[in-house]
Amino acid sequence: MDTVTVEVRDLTRTYGNNAVVRDVNFNLNKGEVLGFLGPNGAGKSTTMKMLTGNLAPTAGTVRICGIDILENPRDAKALIGYLPETPPLYKELTVDEMLALAARMHGVSRGHVARAVAQTKERTGLLEMGGRLCENLSTGYQQRVGIAQAIIHNPMVVVLDEPTRGLDPIQIRDIRALIKELGGEHSVILSTHILPEVEMVCDHVQIIHQGQLVFSGAIDDLRASRKSSSLIVALRRPPGVDVLQALDGVAAAEITADRIRLRLLESGATDSVAEGVVRAAVANDWGLYHVAPDATSLEDVFLHLTQLEETA
Ligand code: ADP
């Protein structure tokens, strides 16, 4: 049976009259990597702060492995590692000193600190960096130290707020690989506004927009929802737009240089509409040479989901 590590119910935070996080609900299981995806200002950081007990919710509850973070913050927080938007580093400390301090603050007993520091440095690729001052590290390495301080006590749940922000492409690749690896032993929640990041690293995704979840599910479900809203057709002798739009199940036809996009009345009906297109093309000698569901990008799905909310 899946072990639930994070249980969030009706989580809400308002500032004045403005609900920046509204009725957010979800569960996270052990070993899952959840991407919390949304445009800037959607409410990601606010949610991360509430999940980790760093900001009191206006309403709702957060339980970490069954422990309520408001009722029993000490025990709940001991099960969490958190990388906030800006890595919490004392820049005048060396990496070794910084990690030893983080270990103590997270309750690692004195006798186990040296081993925890060594193991964590190995996991995060910091073995060579122990003696360096944090302030002299590149942004990518500072981010690694930020992740290291979040996992040094081997917590059940790791929460990473925009872990790849400000990194160059090589640093981003390395940090993503590291996060994926963390998923094996911990539950990981990472926030990001970068869709491909979620695709590469996460197995579950939640899309937040204007403080509300507009999608929640497996990455594969998100992928599955993308192919079904239009058909791409190519005809050597196309009829007028009005004829195409009159086909069964077609809402609109858009003709470009060499392709026609048929937007469907009902998403998911690609097979039956395609059949109708083939029949009409043969009967009317349109010279059909291509018909396939439009594999729109996840970017389109994301935009669609977030725009739906705006017009609602
Ligand atoms: P994200 O991390 O998705 O970019 P945030 O959670 O930082 O979004 O912010 C969500 C919204 O809440 C934004 O509109 C932001 O201006 C607002 N907000 C965040 N913190 C405060 C605060 N302390 N007081 C008032 N509004 C805030």
Side-chain angles (χ1 to χ4, degrees):
M1 212 182 85
D2 291 332
T3 313
V4 177
T5 50
V6 181
E7 212 181 326
V8 173
R9 290 291 167 268
D10 304 325
L11 197 63
T12 298
R13 173 76 203 197
T14 55
Y15 289 111
N17 289 329
N18 191 13
V20 301
V21 174
R22 271 182 287 170
D23 293 324
V24 165
N25 286 283
F26 67 91
N27 280 1
L28 185 67
N29 294 321
K30 191 174 173 198
E32 284 177 355
V33 181
L34 169 67
F36 214 74
L37 177 69
N40 288 329
K44 300 184 295 295
S45 289
T46 307
T47 307
M48 301 296 118
K49 286 179 199 158
M50 291 193 282
L51 291 181
T52 53
N54 287 284
L55 177 72
T58 309
T61 56
V62 174
R63 287 173 177 276
I64 309 294
C65 301
I67 303 170
D68 190 306
I69 204 155
L70 285 179
E71 284 171 10
N72 197 346
R74 220 185 134 93
D75 290 350
K77 283 188 188 186
L79 300 167
I80 301 175
Y82 176 40
L83 172 67
E85 275 175 290
T86 318
L89 305 183
Y90 291 108
K91 301 214 163 164
E92 63 278 20
L93 297 186
T94 64
V95 170
D96 280 342
E97 289 165 345
M98 180 66 230
L99 294 181
L101 176 67
R104 291 297 288 148
M105 288 196 310
H106 281 120
V108 175
S109 62
R110 213 172 276 281
H112 290 104
V113 167
R115 204 174 63 192
V117 170
Q119 281 175 347
T120 307
K121 278 194 301 184
E122 185 170 4
R123 289 184 79 185
T124 50
L126 286 168
L127 277 178
E128 314 290 315
M129 298 290 165
R132 295 272 293 271
L133 288 179
C134 289
E135 71 179 343
N136 294 337
L137 298 178
S138 67
T139 322
Y141 274 96
Q142 288 188 2
Q143 200 71 353
R144 280 172 195 251
V145 180
I147 295 177
Q149 65 78 34
I151 62 171
I152 192 138
H153 52 309
N154 209 21
M156 282 296 269
V157 178
V158 181
V159 178
L160 307 170
D161 196 350
E162 300 255 5
T164 59
R165 188 196 338 231
L167 305 185
D168 69 36
I170 295 171
Q171 294 166 337
I172 288 177
R173 186 197 59 197
D174 292 350
I175 293 287
R176 284 180 184 160
L178 171 60
I179 295 169
K180 226 175 155 149
E181 213 180 285
L182 290 179
E185 291 174 41
H186 311 258
S187 298
V188 181
I189 302 181
L190 75 102
S191 80
T192 180
H193 62 279
I194 306 161
L195 182 64
E197 180 152 297
V198 170
E199 270 199 285
M200 273 179 246
V201 177
C202 305
D203 35 45
H204 285 73
V205 58
Q206 281 172 349
I207 299 180
I208 184 168
H209 181 59
Q210 296 182 346
Q212 285 184 297
L213 292 185
V214 292
F215 178 87
S216 185
I219 280 281
D220 289 343
D221 295 340
L222 187 62
R223 280 205 189 97
S225 67
R226 70 174 147 162
K227 60 185 174 198
S228 48
S229 61
S230 46
L231 272 184
I232 300 294
V233 177
L235 304 171
R236 292 196 204 288
R237 294 172 292 280
V241 173
D242 48 336
V243 175
L244 295 168
Q245 286 182 168
L247 291 169
D248 264 0
V250 173
E254 296 152 17
I255 301 186
T256 59
D258 60 345
R259 290 283 189 270
I260 297 164
R261 180 196 299 270
L262 300 180
R263 293 202 181 275
L264 309 188
L265 282 171
E266 189 188 328
S267 60
T270 46
D271 286 358
S272 62
V273 177
E275 257 184 71
V277 168
V278 172
R279 264 200 309 273
V282 171
N284 297 292
D285 193 27
W286 290 340
L288 173 76
Y289 63 96
H290 175 91
V291 57
D294 183 19
T296 48
S297 66
L298 276 183
E299 218 81 46
D300 290 344
V301 176
F302 180 46
L303 285 175
H304 178 67
L305 285 167
T306 48
Q307 278 162 6
L308 266 186
E309 270 293 297
E310 249 148 46
T311 53

